[in-house]
Amino acid sequence: STDIAEVPPAVDEAEVVVEISVRPGDVELEKGARIVIDAVFSGGSPARSDLVLFEPGDASAIRGSIPMEAGLEDTAVSALVDRVDSDVHYRIDSDVGSSDSYAITVFEHPRLEQADATVTPARYLDEEPRVIEDTRKVSLMEGGEVAWAMRVNKSVAAAELFGEDGSILPLEPSAEDPLLLVGRQIPEMTQKYRLHLVDDRDRGNKEPPWFTVTVKKNLPPKLEFTFPKRDVDVSAVQELPIEGSAWDDVGVKRAGLSLEFEGDVREIALLDEGEGGEHHA
């Protein structure tokens, strides 16, 4: 008899399962960044494959589709998403099947949007508080107070102004607005501070901004005789012109002369009010 070789059954192409390996799969990505999606097919790269982007939780809400290009390996394809600004899901669609769906979750580093300062002058100045909007520099006389209001792009777990001398001014979310950080200080000297922000994932602000607080000292007034500038002997009936000058950095409230005649002291007011930073004769 003649042996007849057993013929294997025909393979139904519809039953062939192609495995699609997708990289990076689920991923966190900084807002505005780009990302490359790779796919590897177990049976070689298909004639057509697309990267499909869709809304999270709704596979039918397609945001866009990007044709994938063959890579160096004959089983791999890839596509570039040039910019991702919000959470999105994706999958690979091809003429040999579709992959599982994956998520791109977008995050942001904490960031300062705007800093405002309210400066309350020291009591001796008798001035009203002033608001300085969108500033990184504040100047005030010693004894004054600075109230910071800093708007950030997202909620933070911690925030502080860190001084060059190592001092720390904690900033807390406002009761009315969690994105508005507030803090108060009565600075004693001129120095710079850096704003440090940290979110709930321990991510810090990338480029901590600098703030400068300039504290002006309240200098003592300067009083001097401009004429005469030496001791003078005069007769009982002789007139003697006397000239003087008064200066103060803040302002002169009152200036004059004190004259003593044999134990009797007399005061002569010469100036009731004078602007600061000027010499008043």
Side-chain angles (χ1 to χ4, degrees):
S1 64
T2 303
D3 293 335
I4 300 176
E6 184 176 350
V7 178
V11 176
D12 185 353
E13 294 183 0
E15 296 179 356
V16 175
V17 177
V18 175
E19 295 182 358
I20 306 174
S21 176
V22 179
R23 297 173 299 192
D26 293 332
V27 64
E28 280 193 329
L29 190 69
E30 185 175 0
K31 182 179 181 179
R34 60 172 53 189
I35 185 172
V36 174
I37 306 296
D38 295 321
V40 177
F41 293 80
S42 61
S45 59
R48 177 195 63 79
S49 59
D50 298 299
L51 171 63
V52 179
L53 304 171
F54 57 94
E55 297 293 339
D58 187 355
S60 63
I62 306 299
R63 283 194 193 176
S65 179
I66 303 174
M68 304 192 76
E69 299 180 358
L72 297 177
E73 304 175 22
D74 60 3
T75 60
V77 293
S78 64
L80 169 67
V81 182
D82 190 57
R83 183 183 178 92
V84 181
D85 287 319
S86 61
D87 293 351
V88 67
H89 287 189
Y90 71 94
R91 67 175 182 269
I92 310 300
D93 283 353
S94 73
D95 51 10
V96 296
S98 297
S99 72
D100 293 335
S101 296
Y102 301 94
I104 300 176
T105 304
V106 169
F107 71 87
E108 289 186 83
H109 287 270
R111 180 182 66 253
L112 174 68
E113 299 287 352
Q114 179 173 323
D116 300 332
T118 299
V119 177
T120 301
R123 290 184 178 181
Y124 60 81
L125 293 175
D126 193 25
E127 296 176 356
E128 294 296 320
R130 68 183 190 276
V131 178
I132 309 172
E133 296 183 345
D134 197 12
T135 186
R136 304 289 174 87
K137 295 181 179 180
V138 170
S139 178
L140 73 164
M141 294 291 295
E142 64 178 338
E145 180 187 70
V146 182
W148 293 103
M150 301 192 180
R151 182 160 297 281
V152 292
N153 64 321
K154 59 183 291 186
S155 296
V156 296
E160 66 183 24
L161 281 173
F162 186 80
E164 290 178 308
D165 65 347
S167 61
I168 295 175
L169 173 64
L171 299 172
E172 300 292 341
S174 165
E176 295 77 22
D177 186 349
L179 299 186
L180 189 65
L181 308 177
V182 295
R184 294 177 177 270
Q185 63 176 153
I186 301 177
E188 297 181 355
M189 63 181 182
T190 297
Q191 70 169 314
K192 292 183 177 180
Y193 300 83
R194 293 194 80 172
L195 174 64
H196 294 292
L197 305 171
V198 179
D199 68 10
D200 58 358
R201 298 291 296 274
D202 205 29
R203 289 184 287 247
N205 47 336
K206 282 186 168 182
E207 298 178 0
W210 284 99
F211 291 83
T212 301
V213 178
T214 301
V215 179
K216 299 178 181 179
K217 297 296 182 181
N218 183 16
L219 302 176
K222 295 180 180 179
L223 304 172
E224 63 176 342
F225 280 109
T226 57
F227 182 85
K229 290 191 173 183
R230 58 183 176 81
D231 293 339
V232 178
D233 290 329
V234 295
S235 66
V237 295
Q238 184 178 354
E239 292 184 357
L240 175 66
I242 298 176
E243 297 177 0
S245 174
W247 176 95
D248 189 74
D249 56 337
V250 175
V252 179
K253 296 293 185 182
R254 182 173 177 270
L257 295 174
S258 292
L259 304 176
E260 182 177 351
F261 300 94
E262 298 179 349
D264 182 18
V265 178
R266 300 178 187 178
E267 293 188 353
I268 303 174
L270 301 177
L271 177 68
D272 288 331
E273 193 78 25
E275 294 291 332
E278 298 181 7
H279 288 275
H280 302 280

